[in-house]
Amino acid sequence: MNFDMRCAVLPNFLPPDLSLALAQAQRLETRLNGAATVWHAWGEPLQPTVVLLHGGSGSWTHWVHNIAPLVHTGWRVLVPDLPGFGDSDLPTGCNDVDALPAHLHAGLLQLQAGGFCAGLVSLVGFSFGGMAAALWLADYPQDAVRLVLVGAPGMGLTVSERVPLKGWRHLTTAEAQEQVHRHNLMALMLLQPESLDALALALHAANVQRDRMPRRRLSSTDIVARTLPRLQVPVSAIYGEHDALYRGRLPELQAAMQGLSTRWGQWHTVPAAGHWVQYEAPEPFHAALLDILRA
């Protein structure tokens, strides 16, 4: 496996401070059955490694506020664009989260063999990425020492009001599309109106245009609940206090996760934050994540 050792080209919508903080990114490609998965990497390869998996219709940029703080606290950070999203290929026959573990496992093995990370990793999955992470470790339990679920669906718990997302691909003007993106971000991802800043809007608009897996259905099932009893690593969770997927049901969710996990870790509720908790409240999120990673 030949890896591209050049620095990654970062999106032009990043503000100067983030561009500087993330400037040392490497862009790496792994392959399985001809399909490429693109990974971004920061930090020193011999440091303890944390792998961050983004949410649905996303890319590595779901973690823009979290990468540099992890590097500064001594972590090697690997963030793939999940197959079918961002810069990664959509593998043949891949139409939902259950097709992703084989590609992520193969990619991690290739990165380890190439010297781009050392030892076992800590796996952190946001939303759709949380489902992917749980299924990954159910199939390949040797790949990580812990799992952290962030705003993950798939627990079979519903809320009385469905999240009112709107379609945008049929709209012909950028202005009309932007209005829908703003609506969808506030309906699902964010709590505070001030959290919907120019960066959130720009990266969301860029990410949804590259989503090639639009008919995902497993997030509305109990696939994570059915997977948790199979996991052999400690499972922890971080959720925003007002996550739209579990509005009013976080205590039930915590009890369910703890009861289903054979090795329970920690639960953290981040106050005054919505579903995209690591973007909306990066400092308390980072503190919670470090508590888990250092346990």
Side-chain angles (χ1 to χ4, degrees):
M1 177 63 62
N2 294 319
F3 290 95
D4 185 352
M5 292 295 295
R6 294 175 299 175
C7 288
V9 177
L10 300 178
N12 59 13
F13 53 71
L14 294 183
D17 58 334
L18 270 180
S19 292
L20 181 62
L22 302 176
Q24 300 304 311
Q26 289 181 315
R27 185 184 189 277
L28 306 169
E29 285 190 9
T30 61
R31 290 186 176 270
L32 178 65
N33 299 329
T37 299
V38 174
W39 303 66
H40 285 68
W42 290 264
E44 297 299 323
L46 293 180
Q47 292 175 314
T49 300
V50 58
V51 176
L52 307 176
L53 302 186
H54 64 77
S57 300
S59 75
W60 73 267
T61 59
H62 271 172
W63 299 97
V64 289
H65 288 323
N66 318 109
I67 294 163
L70 284 167
V71 173
H72 292 159
T73 47
W75 291 87
R76 171 68 161 172
V77 181
L78 297 176
V79 196
D81 284 351
L82 295 174
F85 303 93
D87 289 340
S88 294
D89 291 341
L90 176 65
T92 301
C94 181
N95 55 25
D96 214 323
V97 66
D98 55 346
L100 303 188
H103 294 268
L104 296 168
H105 168 70
L108 181 63
L109 291 184
Q110 292 167 31
L111 293 174
Q112 290 171 332
F116 294 99
C117 64
L120 296 174
V121 306
S122 296
L123 192 54
V124 184
F126 165 56
S127 196
F128 179 82
M131 295 195 301
L135 295 177
W136 178 359
L137 291 188
D139 290 346
Y140 305 98
Q142 71 276 18
D143 281 359
V145 295
R146 62 176 58 83
L147 170 64
V148 185
L149 298 174
V150 181
M155 286 297 294
L157 296 175
T158 60
V159 295
S160 57
E161 295 184 7
R162 184 177 179 180
V163 178
L165 299 180
K166 297 181 179 180
W168 60 272
R169 294 183 184 274
H170 65 288
L171 300 173
T172 58
T173 68
E175 292 78 9
Q177 291 181 5
E178 179 180 314
Q179 288 184 355
V180 172
H181 294 330
R182 287 182 176 276
H183 167 85
N184 288 344
L185 281 167
M186 293 309 303
L188 173 61
M189 300 287 275
L190 301 169
L191 175 69
Q192 310 289 350
E194 57 270 24
S195 299
L196 208 176
D197 55 13
L199 176 59
L201 183 62
L203 71 84
H204 176 76
N207 285 337
V208 295
Q209 291 172 2
R210 298 185 295 166
D211 178 356
R212 283 145 288 143
M213 201 189 300
R215 301 190 182 279
R216 308 180 298 274
R217 294 291 181 269
L218 288 175
S219 61
S220 61
T221 72
D222 63 347
I223 189 170
V224 172
R226 289 185 282 112
T227 301
L228 287 178
R230 299 171 52 197
L231 301 184
Q232 302 174 25
V233 300
V235 176
S236 297
I238 307 173
Y239 281 75
E241 179 185 13
H242 301 281
D243 192 315
L245 297 183
Y246 297 100
R247 189 172 286 113
R249 303 197 69 177
L250 284 188
E252 295 174 68
L253 177 65
Q254 179 180 354
M257 284 190 167
Q258 187 167 352
L260 291 167
S261 300
T262 59
R263 298 181 63 189
W264 179 247
Q266 301 178 28
W267 173 276
H268 291 266
T269 300
V270 177
H275 182 58
W276 194 7
V277 57
Q278 75 271 26
Y279 186 92
E280 189 160 28
E283 292 183 0
F285 173 84
H286 182 65
L289 182 57
L290 283 186
D291 277 351
I292 296 168
L293 295 179
R294 291 169 171 169

Short mmCIF file of all heavy atoms in Angstrom, two decimals, residues 78-144:
data_model
loop_
_atom_site.label_atom_id
_atom_site.label_comp_id
_atom_site.label_asym_id
_atom_site.label_seq_id
_atom_site.Cartn_x
_atom_site.Cartn_y
_atom_site.Cartn_z
N LEU A 78 -7.03 10.32 13.93
CA LEU A 78 -7.36 9.84 12.59
C LEU A 78 -8.85 10.06 12.35
O LEU A 78 -9.68 9.65 13.17
CB LEU A 78 -7.05 8.34 12.46
CG LEU A 78 -5.59 7.91 12.61
CD1 LEU A 78 -5.49 6.39 12.55
CD2 LEU A 78 -4.72 8.53 11.54
N VAL A 79 -9.18 10.71 11.24
CA VAL A 79 -10.57 11.01 10.94
C VAL A 79 -10.86 10.62 9.48
O VAL A 79 -10.46 11.34 8.56
CB VAL A 79 -10.91 12.50 11.15
CG1 VAL A 79 -12.43 12.68 11.21
CG2 VAL A 79 -10.27 13.03 12.41
N PRO A 80 -11.51 9.49 9.25
CA PRO A 80 -11.84 9.13 7.87
C PRO A 80 -13.09 9.85 7.39
O PRO A 80 -13.98 10.21 8.17
CB PRO A 80 -12.11 7.62 7.98
CG PRO A 80 -12.66 7.45 9.36
CD PRO A 80 -11.93 8.46 10.22
N ASP A 81 -13.16 10.06 6.08
CA ASP A 81 -14.44 10.28 5.44
C ASP A 81 -15.04 8.89 5.24
O ASP A 81 -14.44 8.05 4.55
CB ASP A 81 -14.27 10.97 4.09
CG ASP A 81 -13.97 12.45 4.21
OD1 ASP A 81 -14.06 12.99 5.32
OD2 ASP A 81 -13.65 13.06 3.17
N LEU A 82 -16.17 8.61 5.87
CA LEU A 82 -16.76 7.28 5.76
C LEU A 82 -17.07 6.95 4.31
O LEU A 82 -17.38 7.84 3.51
CB LEU A 82 -18.03 7.21 6.60
CG LEU A 82 -17.84 7.35 8.11
CD1 LEU A 82 -19.18 7.39 8.81
CD2 LEU A 82 -16.98 6.21 8.66
N PRO A 83 -16.98 5.68 3.93
CA PRO A 83 -17.30 5.31 2.55
C PRO A 83 -18.67 5.83 2.13
O PRO A 83 -19.67 5.67 2.84
CB PRO A 83 -17.29 3.77 2.61
CG PRO A 83 -16.29 3.47 3.69
CD PRO A 83 -16.50 4.54 4.73
N GLY A 84 -18.69 6.49 0.96
CA GLY A 84 -19.92 7.09 0.46
C GLY A 84 -20.10 8.54 0.83
O GLY A 84 -21.08 9.17 0.42
N PHE A 85 -19.14 9.10 1.58
CA PHE A 85 -19.24 10.49 2.04
C PHE A 85 -17.91 11.20 1.80
O PHE A 85 -16.85 10.58 1.70
CB PHE A 85 -19.59 10.55 3.52
CG PHE A 85 -20.86 9.83 3.88
CD1 PHE A 85 -20.82 8.51 4.30
CD2 PHE A 85 -22.08 10.46 3.79
CE1 PHE A 85 -21.98 7.83 4.64
CE2 PHE A 85 -23.26 9.80 4.12
CZ PHE A 85 -23.20 8.48 4.54
N GLY A 86 -17.97 12.53 1.74
CA GLY A 86 -16.76 13.32 1.61
C GLY A 86 -15.94 12.90 0.40
O GLY A 86 -16.47 12.71 -0.70
N ASP A 87 -14.64 12.71 0.61
CA ASP A 87 -13.73 12.34 -0.47
C ASP A 87 -13.62 10.85 -0.69
O ASP A 87 -12.92 10.41 -1.62
CB ASP A 87 -12.33 12.90 -0.18
CG ASP A 87 -12.26 14.42 -0.32
OD1 ASP A 87 -13.14 14.99 -1.00
OD2 ASP A 87 -11.33 15.01 0.24
N SER A 88 -14.25 10.04 0.14
CA SER A 88 -14.14 8.59 0.01
C SER A 88 -15.07 8.06 -1.08
O SER A 88 -16.11 8.65 -1.38
CB SER A 88 -14.47 7.90 1.34
OG SER A 88 -13.49 8.20 2.32
N ASP A 89 -14.67 6.92 -1.65
CA ASP A 89 -15.50 6.27 -2.66
C ASP A 89 -16.75 5.66 -2.03
O ASP A 89 -16.75 5.32 -0.83
CB ASP A 89 -14.72 5.16 -3.37
CG ASP A 89 -13.59 5.68 -4.24
OD1 ASP A 89 -13.63 6.88 -4.60
OD2 ASP A 89 -12.68 4.89 -4.54
N LEU A 90 -17.77 5.49 -2.84
CA LEU A 90 -18.93 4.67 -2.45
C LEU A 90 -18.69 3.26 -2.98
O LEU A 90 -18.72 3.03 -4.19
CB LEU A 90 -20.21 5.24 -3.04
CG LEU A 90 -21.47 4.40 -2.79
CD1 LEU A 90 -21.81 4.35 -1.31
CD2 LEU A 90 -22.66 4.95 -3.59
N PRO A 91 -18.42 2.31 -2.10
CA PRO A 91 -18.16 0.95 -2.58
C PRO A 91 -19.39 0.34 -3.24
O PRO A 91 -20.54 0.66 -2.89
CB PRO A 91 -17.80 0.19 -1.29
CG PRO A 91 -17.40 1.25 -0.31
CD PRO A 91 -18.25 2.44 -0.65
N THR A 92 -19.16 -0.55 -4.17
CA THR A 92 -20.26 -1.24 -4.84
C THR A 92 -21.12 -1.98 -3.83
O THR A 92 -20.61 -2.70 -2.97
CB THR A 92 -19.69 -2.24 -5.88
OG1 THR A 92 -18.89 -1.53 -6.82
CG2 THR A 92 -20.82 -2.96 -6.60
N GLY A 93 -22.43 -1.77 -3.90
CA GLY A 93 -23.36 -2.46 -3.02
C GLY A 93 -23.46 -1.88 -1.63
O GLY A 93 -24.17 -2.43 -0.78
N CYS A 94 -22.79 -0.77 -1.37
CA CYS A 94 -22.80 -0.15 -0.04
C CYS A 94 -23.94 0.85 0.03
O CYS A 94 -23.89 1.91 -0.60
CB CYS A 94 -21.47 0.53 0.22
SG CYS A 94 -21.35 1.31 1.84
N ASN A 95 -24.99 0.54 0.78
CA ASN A 95 -26.14 1.45 0.86
C ASN A 95 -26.58 1.77 2.28
O ASN A 95 -27.58 2.45 2.46
CB ASN A 95 -27.32 0.90 0.05
CG ASN A 95 -27.72 -0.50 0.47
OD1 ASN A 95 -27.47 -0.91 1.60
ND2 ASN A 95 -28.31 -1.24 -0.45
N ASP A 96 -25.84 1.29 3.28
CA ASP A 96 -26.17 1.66 4.66
C ASP A 96 -24.99 1.33 5.56
O ASP A 96 -23.97 0.79 5.12
CB ASP A 96 -27.44 0.94 5.13
CG ASP A 96 -28.26 1.79 6.10
OD1 ASP A 96 -27.66 2.52 6.92
OD2 ASP A 96 -29.51 1.74 6.04
N VAL A 97 -25.16 1.61 6.83
CA VAL A 97 -24.06 1.57 7.78
C VAL A 97 -23.47 0.18 7.95
O VAL A 97 -22.28 0.04 8.25
CB VAL A 97 -24.54 2.13 9.14
CG1 VAL A 97 -25.60 1.24 9.77
CG2 VAL A 97 -23.38 2.36 10.08
N ASP A 98 -24.26 -0.87 7.76
CA ASP A 98 -23.76 -2.22 7.99
C ASP A 98 -22.71 -2.66 6.98
O ASP A 98 -22.04 -3.68 7.19
CB ASP A 98 -24.91 -3.23 8.05
CG ASP A 98 -25.80 -3.19 6.82
OD1 ASP A 98 -25.70 -2.22 6.03
OD2 ASP A 98 -26.61 -4.11 6.65
N ALA A 99 -22.52 -1.91 5.90
CA ALA A 99 -21.49 -2.22 4.92
C ALA A 99 -20.15 -1.56 5.23
O ALA A 99 -19.16 -1.84 4.55
CB ALA A 99 -21.95 -1.82 3.52
N LEU A 100 -20.09 -0.71 6.24
CA LEU A 100 -18.89 0.08 6.49
C LEU A 100 -17.80 -0.62 7.30
O LEU A 100 -16.62 -0.35 7.08
CB LEU A 100 -19.26 1.39 7.19
CG LEU A 100 -20.27 2.30 6.48
CD1 LEU A 100 -20.36 3.64 7.22
CD2 LEU A 100 -19.89 2.52 5.03
N PRO A 101 -18.12 -1.50 8.26
CA PRO A 101 -17.06 -2.03 9.11
C PRO A 101 -15.90 -2.69 8.37
O PRO A 101 -14.74 -2.50 8.77
CB PRO A 101 -17.80 -3.03 10.00
CG PRO A 101 -19.17 -2.46 10.13
CD PRO A 101 -19.45 -1.90 8.76
N ALA A 102 -16.17 -3.43 7.32
CA ALA A 102 -15.08 -4.10 6.61
C ALA A 102 -14.09 -3.10 6.04
O ALA A 102 -12.87 -3.32 6.07
CB ALA A 102 -15.64 -4.99 5.50
N HIS A 103 -14.58 -1.97 5.52
CA HIS A 103 -13.71 -0.95 4.94
C HIS A 103 -12.91 -0.24 6.03
O HIS A 103 -11.72 0.07 5.84
CB HIS A 103 -14.53 0.04 4.12
CG HIS A 103 -15.15 -0.57 2.91
ND1 HIS A 103 -14.54 -0.58 1.68
CD2 HIS A 103 -16.33 -1.23 2.75
CE1 HIS A 103 -15.30 -1.20 0.81
NE2 HIS A 103 -16.39 -1.61 1.43
N LEU A 104 -13.54 0.03 7.16
CA LEU A 104 -12.84 0.71 8.26
C LEU A 104 -11.80 -0.20 8.89
O LEU A 104 -10.68 0.24 9.20
CB LEU A 104 -13.85 1.17 9.29
CG LEU A 104 -14.85 2.23 8.77
CD1 LEU A 104 -15.99 2.42 9.76
CD2 LEU A 104 -14.14 3.55 8.50
N HIS A 105 -12.13 -1.45 9.07
CA HIS A 105 -11.17 -2.42 9.62
C HIS A 105 -9.98 -2.58 8.69
O HIS A 105 -8.81 -2.51 9.14
CB HIS A 105 -11.87 -3.76 9.82
CG HIS A 105 -10.95 -4.90 10.10
ND1 HIS A 105 -10.25 -5.03 11.28
CD2 HIS A 105 -10.59 -5.98 9.33
CE1 HIS A 105 -9.52 -6.13 11.25
NE2 HIS A 105 -9.70 -6.72 10.08
N ALA A 106 -10.24 -2.77 7.40
CA ALA A 106 -9.14 -2.92 6.45
C ALA A 106 -8.27 -1.67 6.42
O ALA A 106 -7.04 -1.74 6.35
CB ALA A 106 -9.69 -3.23 5.05
N GLY A 107 -8.92 -0.51 6.47
CA GLY A 107 -8.17 0.74 6.46
C GLY A 107 -7.27 0.88 7.68
O GLY A 107 -6.11 1.28 7.57
N LEU A 108 -7.80 0.56 8.85
CA LEU A 108 -6.99 0.66 10.07
C LEU A 108 -5.79 -0.27 10.01
O LEU A 108 -4.67 0.11 10.37
CB LEU A 108 -7.85 0.35 11.30
CG LEU A 108 -7.12 0.45 12.64
CD1 LEU A 108 -6.63 1.87 12.90
CD2 LEU A 108 -8.04 0.00 13.78
N LEU A 109 -5.99 -1.50 9.54
CA LEU A 109 -4.88 -2.43 9.43
C LEU A 109 -3.81 -1.89 8.49
O LEU A 109 -2.60 -2.02 8.76
CB LEU A 109 -5.37 -3.79 8.93
CG LEU A 109 -6.24 -4.61 9.87
CD1 LEU A 109 -6.55 -5.97 9.25
CD2 LEU A 109 -5.58 -4.80 11.23
N GLN A 110 -4.23 -1.28 7.39
CA GLN A 110 -3.26 -0.73 6.44
C GLN A 110 -2.49 0.44 7.05
O GLN A 110 -1.28 0.58 6.85
CB GLN A 110 -3.98 -0.32 5.16
CG GLN A 110 -4.52 -1.49 4.35
CD GLN A 110 -5.48 -1.07 3.27
OE1 GLN A 110 -5.37 0.02 2.71
NE2 GLN A 110 -6.45 -1.93 2.96
N LEU A 111 -3.19 1.29 7.79
CA LEU A 111 -2.51 2.41 8.43
C LEU A 111 -1.53 1.92 9.49
O LEU A 111 -0.42 2.47 9.63
CB LEU A 111 -3.54 3.35 9.06
CG LEU A 111 -4.45 4.09 8.07
CD1 LEU A 111 -5.52 4.87 8.82
CD2 LEU A 111 -3.65 5.02 7.18
N GLN A 112 -1.91 0.91 10.25
CA GLN A 112 -1.00 0.37 11.25
C GLN A 112 0.22 -0.28 10.58
O GLN A 112 1.35 -0.07 11.03
CB GLN A 112 -1.74 -0.64 12.13
CG GLN A 112 -2.76 0.00 13.05
CD GLN A 112 -3.64 -1.01 13.76
OE1 GLN A 112 -3.88 -2.10 13.25
NE2 GLN A 112 -4.14 -0.65 14.94
N ALA A 113 -0.01 -1.02 9.51
CA ALA A 113 1.10 -1.66 8.81
C ALA A 113 2.05 -0.63 8.19
O ALA A 113 3.25 -0.86 8.09
CB ALA A 113 0.56 -2.59 7.72
N GLY A 114 1.49 0.52 7.79
CA GLY A 114 2.31 1.57 7.21
C GLY A 114 2.99 2.47 8.21
O GLY A 114 3.70 3.42 7.83
N GLY A 115 2.77 2.23 9.51
CA GLY A 115 3.40 3.03 10.54
C GLY A 115 2.71 4.35 10.82
O GLY A 115 3.31 5.24 11.44
N PHE A 116 1.45 4.48 10.41
CA PHE A 116 0.73 5.74 10.59
C PHE A 116 -0.04 5.79 11.90
O PHE A 116 -0.58 6.83 12.26
CB PHE A 116 -0.20 5.99 9.42
CG PHE A 116 0.55 6.22 8.14
CD1 PHE A 116 0.70 5.19 7.22
CD2 PHE A 116 1.12 7.45 7.86
CE1 PHE A 116 1.40 5.39 6.05
CE2 PHE A 116 1.82 7.66 6.69
CZ PHE A 116 1.97 6.62 5.77
N CYS A 117 -0.11 4.69 12.61
CA CYS A 117 -0.61 4.69 13.98
C CYS A 117 -0.09 3.43 14.64
O CYS A 117 0.22 2.45 13.98
CB CYS A 117 -2.13 4.78 14.04
SG CYS A 117 -3.02 3.38 13.35
N ALA A 118 -0.01 3.48 15.96
CA ALA A 118 0.59 2.38 16.71
C ALA A 118 -0.40 1.85 17.72
O ALA A 118 -1.07 2.61 18.42
CB ALA A 118 1.86 2.84 17.40
N GLY A 119 -0.49 0.52 17.80
CA GLY A 119 -1.29 -0.10 18.85
C GLY A 119 -2.78 0.02 18.62
O GLY A 119 -3.26 0.44 17.57
N LEU A 120 -3.52 -0.34 19.67
CA LEU A 120 -4.97 -0.28 19.61
C LEU A 120 -5.44 1.17 19.74
O LEU A 120 -4.76 2.01 20.31
CB LEU A 120 -5.58 -1.13 20.71
CG LEU A 120 -5.30 -2.64 20.60
CD1 LEU A 120 -5.84 -3.36 21.82
CD2 LEU A 120 -5.93 -3.21 19.33
N VAL A 121 -6.64 1.42 19.25
CA VAL A 121 -7.16 2.79 19.19
C VAL A 121 -8.38 2.93 20.10
O VAL A 121 -8.99 1.96 20.52
CB VAL A 121 -7.55 3.16 17.74
CG1 VAL A 121 -6.38 2.93 16.80
CG2 VAL A 121 -8.78 2.39 17.27
N SER A 122 -8.70 4.18 20.38
CA SER A 122 -9.99 4.53 20.98
C SER A 122 -10.88 5.02 19.87
O SER A 122 -10.47 5.83 19.02
CB SER A 122 -9.81 5.63 22.04
OG SER A 122 -9.01 5.17 23.11
N LEU A 123 -12.10 4.53 19.83
CA LEU A 123 -13.01 4.80 18.73
C LEU A 123 -14.16 5.67 19.21
O LEU A 123 -14.86 5.33 20.17
CB LEU A 123 -13.54 3.47 18.19
CG LEU A 123 -14.29 3.47 16.86
CD1 LEU A 123 -13.48 4.13 15.76
CD2 LEU A 123 -14.62 2.02 16.47
N VAL A 124 -14.36 6.82 18.54
CA VAL A 124 -15.40 7.78 18.90
C VAL A 124 -16.29 7.99 17.68
O VAL A 124 -15.80 8.41 16.62
CB VAL A 124 -14.80 9.13 19.36
CG1 VAL A 124 -15.90 10.08 19.82
CG2 VAL A 124 -13.78 8.90 20.48
N GLY A 125 -17.58 7.72 17.80
CA GLY A 125 -18.48 7.83 16.66
C GLY A 125 -19.63 8.77 16.94
O GLY A 125 -20.33 8.62 17.94
N PHE A 126 -19.82 9.72 16.04
CA PHE A 126 -20.90 10.70 16.15
C PHE A 126 -22.07 10.29 15.28
O PHE A 126 -21.92 10.07 14.08
CB PHE A 126 -20.40 12.08 15.74
CG PHE A 126 -21.48 13.09 15.49
CD1 PHE A 126 -22.43 13.38 16.46
CD2 PHE A 126 -21.57 13.74 14.27
CE1 PHE A 126 -23.44 14.30 16.22
CE2 PHE A 126 -22.57 14.67 14.02
CZ PHE A 126 -23.52 14.95 15.00
N SER A 127 -23.26 10.19 15.87
CA SER A 127 -24.51 9.95 15.15
C SER A 127 -24.40 8.70 14.26
O SER A 127 -24.16 7.61 14.76
CB SER A 127 -24.87 11.21 14.34
OG SER A 127 -26.21 11.19 13.93
N PHE A 128 -24.54 8.82 12.95
CA PHE A 128 -24.37 7.70 12.03
C PHE A 128 -23.02 7.02 12.25
O PHE A 128 -22.91 5.79 12.17
CB PHE A 128 -24.50 8.22 10.60
CG PHE A 128 -24.33 7.19 9.52
CD1 PHE A 128 -25.38 6.37 9.14
CD2 PHE A 128 -23.12 7.09 8.85
CE1 PHE A 128 -25.22 5.44 8.12
CE2 PHE A 128 -22.94 6.17 7.83
CZ PHE A 128 -24.01 5.33 7.47
N GLY A 129 -22.00 7.82 12.53
CA GLY A 129 -20.68 7.26 12.81
C GLY A 129 -20.65 6.45 14.09
O GLY A 129 -19.81 5.55 14.24
N GLY A 130 -21.52 6.77 15.05
CA GLY A 130 -21.62 5.95 16.25
C GLY A 130 -22.16 4.56 15.94
O GLY A 130 -21.69 3.56 16.49
N MET A 131 -23.15 4.50 15.06
CA MET A 131 -23.64 3.19 14.61
C MET A 131 -22.53 2.42 13.92
O MET A 131 -22.34 1.22 14.16
CB MET A 131 -24.83 3.37 13.67
CG MET A 131 -26.06 3.97 14.31
SD MET A 131 -27.54 3.75 13.27
CE MET A 131 -27.03 4.58 11.77
N ALA A 132 -21.80 3.10 13.01
CA ALA A 132 -20.70 2.45 12.31
C ALA A 132 -19.66 1.92 13.28
O ALA A 132 -19.14 0.80 13.13
CB ALA A 132 -20.08 3.42 11.31
N ALA A 133 -19.35 2.72 14.30
CA ALA A 133 -18.34 2.32 15.28
C ALA A 133 -18.78 1.09 16.06
O ALA A 133 -17.98 0.16 16.30
CB ALA A 133 -18.05 3.48 16.22
N ALA A 134 -20.03 1.06 16.48
CA ALA A 134 -20.52 -0.09 17.24
C ALA A 134 -20.49 -1.35 16.39
O ALA A 134 -20.04 -2.42 16.85
CB ALA A 134 -21.95 0.18 17.73
N LEU A 135 -20.94 -1.26 15.15
CA LEU A 135 -20.93 -2.43 14.27
C LEU A 135 -19.50 -2.86 13.96
O LEU A 135 -19.20 -4.06 13.85
CB LEU A 135 -21.68 -2.11 12.98
CG LEU A 135 -23.18 -1.85 13.14
CD1 LEU A 135 -23.80 -1.46 11.80
CD2 LEU A 135 -23.90 -3.05 13.72
N TRP A 136 -18.60 -1.89 13.78
CA TRP A 136 -17.19 -2.20 13.53
C TRP A 136 -16.63 -3.05 14.66
O TRP A 136 -16.00 -4.10 14.43
CB TRP A 136 -16.44 -0.88 13.40
CG TRP A 136 -14.96 -0.95 13.17
CD1 TRP A 136 -14.17 -2.07 13.10
CD2 TRP A 136 -14.07 0.16 13.00
NE1 TRP A 136 -12.86 -1.72 12.89
CE2 TRP A 136 -12.77 -0.37 12.82
CE3 TRP A 136 -14.26 1.54 12.98
CZ2 TRP A 136 -11.66 0.44 12.63
CZ3 TRP A 136 -13.15 2.36 12.78
CH2 TRP A 136 -11.86 1.82 12.60
N LEU A 137 -16.84 -2.63 15.92
CA LEU A 137 -16.25 -3.36 17.03
C LEU A 137 -16.97 -4.66 17.33
O LEU A 137 -16.39 -5.55 17.95
CB LEU A 137 -16.21 -2.46 18.27
CG LEU A 137 -15.24 -1.29 18.17
CD1 LEU A 137 -15.13 -0.57 19.50
CD2 LEU A 137 -13.87 -1.74 17.70
N ALA A 138 -18.22 -4.79 16.90
CA ALA A 138 -18.89 -6.08 17.03
C ALA A 138 -18.25 -7.10 16.09
O ALA A 138 -18.08 -8.27 16.45
CB ALA A 138 -20.37 -5.94 16.73
N ASP A 139 -17.88 -6.65 14.89
CA ASP A 139 -17.28 -7.55 13.90
C ASP A 139 -15.78 -7.74 14.12
O ASP A 139 -15.24 -8.81 13.80
CB ASP A 139 -17.51 -7.01 12.49
CG ASP A 139 -18.96 -7.11 12.05
OD1 ASP A 139 -19.74 -7.82 12.71
OD2 ASP A 139 -19.32 -6.45 11.05
N TYR A 140 -15.11 -6.71 14.62
CA TYR A 140 -13.64 -6.74 14.77
C TYR A 140 -13.26 -6.24 16.16
O TYR A 140 -12.72 -5.15 16.33
CB TYR A 140 -12.99 -5.88 13.69
CG TYR A 140 -13.40 -6.25 12.28
CD1 TYR A 140 -14.40 -5.52 11.62
CD2 TYR A 140 -12.82 -7.33 11.63
CE1 TYR A 140 -14.79 -5.86 10.34
CE2 TYR A 140 -13.20 -7.67 10.34
CZ TYR A 140 -14.19 -6.94 9.70
OH TYR A 140 -14.57 -7.29 8.43
N PRO A 141 -13.54 -7.04 17.19
CA PRO A 141 -13.35 -6.56 18.58
C PRO A 141 -11.90 -6.27 18.93
O PRO A 141 -11.64 -5.57 19.92
CB PRO A 141 -13.91 -7.72 19.42
CG PRO A 141 -13.85 -8.91 18.53
CD PRO A 141 -14.08 -8.41 17.15
N GLN A 142 -10.97 -6.76 18.15
CA GLN A 142 -9.56 -6.55 18.45
C GLN A 142 -9.07 -5.17 18.03
O GLN A 142 -7.93 -4.79 18.34
CB GLN A 142 -8.71 -7.62 17.74
CG GLN A 142 -8.63 -7.47 16.21
CD GLN A 142 -9.81 -8.09 15.47
OE1 GLN A 142 -10.86 -8.38 16.04
NE2 GLN A 142 -9.62 -8.32 14.17
N ASP A 143 -9.89 -4.38 17.36
CA ASP A 143 -9.41 -3.13 16.74
C ASP A 143 -9.32 -1.95 17.70
O ASP A 143 -8.65 -0.96 17.39
CB ASP A 143 -10.31 -2.74 15.56
CG ASP A 143 -10.00 -3.54 14.30
OD1 ASP A 143 -9.08 -4.39 14.35
OD2 ASP A 143 -10.66 -3.32 13.27
N ALA A 144 -10.01 -1.98 18.83
CA ALA A 144 -10.04 -0.80 19.70
C ALA A 144 -10.13 -1.22 21.16
O ALA A 144 -10.56 -2.33 21.48
CB ALA A 144 -11.21 0.12 19.34
#
